[in-house]
Amino acid sequence: MMHPLDDLPTPSLLLDIDRLEANGERMRQRACQAGVRLRPHLKTLKSVDAARRVVDAGGAITVSTLTEAAHFAGHGFRDIVCAVCLPADKAARAAQVHRSIDGPGLATLVDSLPVAQAMADRLRTLDAVLPLWIEVDCGEHRTGVDPDGDELLALGRFLAGCPQTELRGVLTHGGQSYRCRDAEAVRAVAAQERDAVVHAAQRLRAAGIDCPGVSAGSTPTAVHGTDWTGVTELRPGVYMAGDLFQIQMRSLAREDLAVSVLASVISVKPGRAVIDAGGLALSKDRSLMGLPDDPGFGALSDLDGRPLGLQVAGVHQEHGEVPLPPGAPALQPGQRVRVWPVHVCMTAAAHGHYHVLRDGRPVGTWPRVNGWD
Amino acid sequence: MMHPLDDLPTPSLLLDIDRLEANGERMRQRACQAGVRLRPHLKTLKSVDAARRVVDAGGAITVSTLTEAAHFAGHGFRDIVCAVCLPADKAARAAQVHRSIDGPGLATLVDSLPVAQAMADRLRTLDAVLPLWIEVDCGEHRTGVDPDGDELLALGRFLAGCPQTELRGVLTHGGQSYRCRDAEAVRAVAAQERDAVVHAAQRLRAAGIDCPGVSAGSTPTAVHGTDWTGVTELRPGVYMAGDLFQIQMRSLAREDLAVSVLASVISVKPGRAVIDAGGLALSKDRSLMGLPDDPGFGALSDLDGRPLGLQVAGVHQEHGEVPLPPGAPALQPGQRVRVWPVHVCMTAAAHGHYHVLRDGRPVGTWPRVNGWD
């Protein structure tokens, strides 16, 4: 008997719209209850069609590249934060996107006074303006200024006084939540995010610097955080799709996962099978390496999502190796399976579009905006 | 002073044409001396422009997807092997590409009699023909039939007698060479490749089955193998670009590497810098994890390729973390660097095109054919 997924190519990327909408609604309610605005991060799904289902009309979004920023701006999104510190030579491109938008426009991040000064110099020659958020380090130690340091105030004074820039607020990302192993630990990181960014905002305000925005949040902290007092907006992103890593973080449940890779079994030998989704189609993300129930490069289910108890233990470029231990379900060459990704941001990026499903049936394709230009 | 690479976007993928040509010429001479045809694998560079510089006119190529096969066929390549076992339901697409070519056409792999039979059934309804190679397992235990087993002969008889198929030969891939740690061990794998595939060809011929092609080779075995008696062609691919893994295998030298990622420093704090090439721009390949001189996710050089003694130790989606130990060269925000990839096949796949360099200067872009359709 034919299955609705039998006509799609393999490997290909599937997105379940029903689950996307449910995940979006659940996060929307969480933000509403917490009294903060939701500024969903589109770096995972990179899709205008997906964004329209999780973002309120005219609503605020977050992106991770200027390519995404220009794409979303071109599709009617009017309030965009590119949540990465840019080198000064990207200020012109960012300002161009900002200028193209009738609304709050595009803002980016800065975490250093010399970079802010270099950006202002370039913007001045173009007679352009770029809104900026000051990135604050809440303990991840990736980028961002010390919320207790002098650079925060120096940056705030410069941005507030510079005609080429517009200070939108302070922003942080508690990426250290990804090192947590239970909800209690994530809750502690959420408190670190809030404390650091609210403290930074208060220091700016105490110095007479206007700081309207106070932005925080990752999917784990947005799910597990309980008190966002003083924070104005949250920026989770992975929650729209979910992945095995987020299940381990208790951010979503197995039945919430909205993105999978459709694959075909291409070879079966005693004790092992090979599928046509390898390192390129799945990515080589091993974020769950060494943890209990490590799913390798992805967990297999049948076409209706029922787990097969099998995993992709090894990958080559176009081959995924699936060990078949004694008692494992038999796989046949040509059989189709779904692979549930470890880290959906990485897996989805290998694909140019989604085959979207409604009630388990393909109803079209949605393009992704990959890469950089 | 401006550098020729200062005007390119970051992150972006660089390809040095001079090195590509030198790598191509060196492998061509190796194959010539060994008396075997070269059928370069384009799965790494996925570029028609690159192929034209390393493949002889009208020459034979290898690809890893039907998307690549159709793309190269559409650009005048007439002798293509897609070196992956396909599920039977891809036979129609493969046959369509084969039919579009005036020449030897497109052949793919098969390693199972039931799949061959299912392919033949589908091809019969289309009145189509598909050339096939029998994949032989020379010890990697990924895909392929046992060169000593019954399935080899059963497959050979079926393919030779079936009007819908055309047996092109036997083919193997000594992927176990990637687990070797020195040239001597790789040489032993090259001998395994040769022995297995030549033995398989001899068994088919002894059974009265025509077996014109005997195909072997990966970059490490093609470089280090010394005796290819009985083999008709070699299929290395990574050698065109090279990467840190291939240096560790002694397949290429540091100064042969042709592909790097151009990146900008976006943040500098005491003891650490962050660049705008993260997990997406570099991939999360960690093939050198735990080995001496483990370069993390890539090694940094200046814009002219001089090593900086720094590496990308951690990646987030758009951030690469570069520890700055005491005595390390100072990095400045906005400064540009090149990152030399661990596994170039994975890194290049994140990018839609190359910025190609001649004598270190950008001279244009070459598109890549990524993904599956």
Side-chain angles (χ1 to χ4, degrees), chain B residues 10-292:
Chain B
T10 65
S12 62
L13 190 65
L14 307 181
L15 172 58
D16 183 311
I17 305 179
D18 308 279
R19 292 183 176 190
L20 165 68
E21 290 173 347
N23 294 339
E25 184 53 30
R26 205 162 48 244
M27 188 61 84
R28 200 183 274 126
Q29 287 176 12
R30 247 187 219 113
C32 186
Q33 283 160 11
V36 292
R37 175 158 74 159
L38 194 60
R39 184 187 285 283
H41 207 317
L42 273 307
K43 80 185 180 90
T44 304
L45 291 184
K46 295 198 185 214
S47 154
V48 164
D49 306 276
R52 288 189 177 131
R53 278 153 181 90
V54 297
V55 179
D56 300 322
I61 65 169
T62 313
V63 299
S64 61
T65 66
L66 289 182
T67 301
E68 288 169 56
H71 180 76
F72 282 98
H75 287 81
F77 289 83
R78 299 166 54 248
D79 183 357
I80 306 173
V81 171
C82 180
V84 178
C85 290
L86 301 186
D89 61 10
K90 289 189 186 173
R93 170 108 195 271
Q96 188 184 29
V97 176
H98 172 60
R99 205 197 301 244
S100 76
I101 299 172
D102 177 22
L106 170 65
T108 75
L109 309 192
V110 67
D111 77 347
S112 135
L113 182 58
V115 172
Q117 290 167 331
M119 281 185 159
D121 287 345
R122 288 175 182 252
L123 293 165
R124 194 171 300 116
T125 65
L126 302 165
D127 196 24
V129 171
L130 183 63
L132 290 163
W133 294 70
I134 299 174
E135 185 173 8
V136 171
D137 181 3
C138 67
E140 181 181 28
H141 305 319
R142 181 176 74 179
T143 45
V145 299
D146 179 351
D148 276 311
D150 295 335
E151 193 157 27
L152 171 71
L153 296 180
L155 255 175
R157 281 193 196 97
F158 177 79
L159 297 177
C162 172
Q164 258 62 52
T165 60
E166 188 188 305
L167 177 58
R168 286 279 169 92
V170 285
L171 175 152
T172 198
H173 171 65
Q176 66 269 40
S177 66
Y178 284 82
R179 297 191 286 266
C180 296
R181 294 290 162 254
D182 58 63
E184 194 54 44
V186 175
R187 214 165 352 258
V189 173
Q192 287 173 354
E193 282 190 308
R194 180 203 59 210
D195 291 348
V197 74
V198 170
H199 178 59
Q202 287 167 339
R203 285 186 69 216
L204 288 172
R205 291 165 185 158
I209 301 164
D210 191 30
C211 179
V214 183
S215 180
S218 61
T219 286
T221 57
V223 167
H224 295 294
T226 47
D227 178 2
W228 293 106
T229 308
V231 168
T232 62
E233 62 173 47
L234 292 175
R235 306 184 321 282
V238 190
Y239 72 96
M240 299 173 209
D243 54 32
L244 300 180
F245 190 86
Q246 295 294 335
I247 290 180
Q248 188 263 342
M249 308 282 292
R250 307 274 186 274
S251 306
L252 299 96
R254 177 72 182 75
E255 57 272 22
D256 300 327
L257 301 192
V259 170
S260 57
V261 172
L262 183 68
S264 296
V265 177
I266 57 172
S267 180
V268 180
K269 302 293 171 194
R272 59 195 158 93
V274 173
I275 59 173
D276 64 357
L280 285 193
L282 299 175
S283 95
K284 288 203 174 178
D285 196 288
R286 288 287 283 112
S287 300
L288 290 169
M289 184 164 61
L291 293 182

Side-chain angles (χ1 to χ4, degrees), chain A residues 267-274 322-325, chain B residues 137 140-144:
Chain A
S267 179
V268 180
K269 303 293 173 194
R272 58 195 160 93
V274 174
V322 180
L324 302 175
Chain B
D137 181 3
E140 181 181 28
H141 305 319
R142 181 176 74 179
T143 45

